[in-house]
Amino acid sequence: TQLLEQSPQFLSIQEGENLTVYCNSSSVFSSLQWYRQEPGEGPVLLVTVVTGGEVKKLKRLTFQFGDARKDSSLHITAAQPGDTGLYLCAHGHFYNNNDMRFGAGTRLTVKP
Amino acid sequence: NAGVTQTPKFRVLKTGQSMTLLCAQDMNHEYMYWYRQDPGMGLRLIHYSVGEGTTAKGEVPDGYNVSRLKKQNFLLGLESAAPSQTSVYFCASRLGRGHEQYFGPGTRLTVT
């Protein structure tokens, strides 16, 4: 089992602050995905990173895949209350099979 | 276009009872998945299907059965419910390899 460890488990910040959450493993992944899940809903895909060292930006969110493809980070600039949710990372052999494994998530609260 | 829908949204069962959860998608997706989500553990794959008439085991298949008689539907069955199966169950689907996974809104199941 390739475990994904996410940190921190909980994060509560004020609107306007910056934050970074992490997804780490001892295994190498062919790809890694980040999802956001709001209460009472299913996860929604934010991004997929595939190449070691890759950086992807989605408005105020910046995703980075580690050079060795064992870890990833999500940085949010100037957080807003709408960013509140559970952020999950997941790995799977996205292109080759269907055995997706998820981390436990970081629960982010952004206070106005 | 409703996307992925799940029925029911909530259910309470007594130990030993059986039930079936229904997942339906109207996107003509080939692949469908059942996950369970428990606090502090992220999502874990129960069973999945890569096409009509096919099913396969995921990470935590014990105590569950599935069927994919029609392409648009994926059923998850609990033959004899146990308190350990108390969880939130999510269905997901995707077009095929390399495509985004879309999740349903979840079914909250409590087994007493």
Side-chain angles (χ1 to χ4, degrees):
Chain A
T1 301
Q2 296 171 308
L3 294 177
L4 284 169
E5 295 183 359
Q6 292 191 245
S7 61
Q9 189 176 356
F10 299 96
L11 186 57
S12 181
I13 61 172
Q14 293 294 133
E15 182 176 2
E17 292 183 357
N18 301 332
L19 67 114
T20 302
V21 298
Y22 302 91
C23 177
N24 297 306
S25 175
S26 58
S27 302
V28 176
F29 301 121
S30 58
S31 65
L32 195 137
Q33 299 178 308
W34 283 95
Y35 293 79
R36 183 170 69 205
Q37 183 179 18
E38 298 188 16
E41 299 182 8
V44 175
L45 180 67
L46 295 173
V47 76
T48 299
V49 287
V50 179
T51 306
E54 182 176 6
V55 176
K56 284 191 174 179
K57 292 192 174 183
L58 187 64
K59 296 183 180 178
R60 293 175 294 100
L61 279 62
T62 302
F63 304 86
Q64 185 162 6
F65 202 15
D67 291 341
R69 308 208 317 275
K70 292 183 177 181
D71 53 82
S72 182
S73 64
L74 160 58
H75 181 80
I76 302 179
T77 304
Q80 298 177 0
D83 295 326
T84 293
L86 179 66
Y87 288 83
L88 298 160
C89 65
H91 81 82
H93 300 284
F94 188 62
Y95 297 97
N96 298 318
N97 72 34
N98 295 282
D99 195 2
M100 298 285 294
R101 301 295 171 102
F102 284 78
T106 292
R107 189 166 297 280
L108 173 65
T109 302
V110 182
K111 301 176 183 177
Chain B
N1 189 337
V4 180
T5 58
Q6 293 184 230
T7 308
K9 287 185 167 49
F10 302 94
R11 184 73 186 268
V12 178
L13 287 179
K14 293 185 177 179
T15 298
Q17 287 185 320
S18 63
M19 76 162 295
T20 300
L21 281 66
L22 171 64
C23 176
Q25 52 91 9
D26 60 1
M27 299 175 282
N28 201 35
H29 285 177
E30 288 292 334
Y31 296 1
M32 297 187 74
Y33 307 81
W34 275 108
Y35 294 88
R36 59 178 289 174
Q37 185 174 33
D38 302 293
M41 299 188 73
L43 285 89
R44 292 182 291 169
L45 182 63
I46 304 171
H47 286 280
Y48 64 94
S49 168
V50 297
E52 182 179 319
T54 74
T55 63
K57 294 180 179 180
E59 183 183 359
V60 287
D62 294 342
Y64 305 94
N65 56 75
V66 288
S67 64
R68 183 99 182 268
L69 298 180
K70 293 183 179 180
K71 186 177 183 179
Q72 63 269 34
N73 296 335
F74 195 29
L75 279 64
L76 178 70
L78 286 74
E79 291 186 350
S80 180
S84 60
Q85 294 178 304
T86 293
S87 187
V88 181
Y89 291 84
F90 287 97
C91 176
S93 72
R94 64 173 176 170
L95 186 62
R97 291 178 181 178
H99 289 267
E100 179 180 351
Q101 211 171 165
Y102 292 86
F103 284 83
T107 294
R108 184 174 294 276
L109 174 67
T110 302
V111 183
T112 61

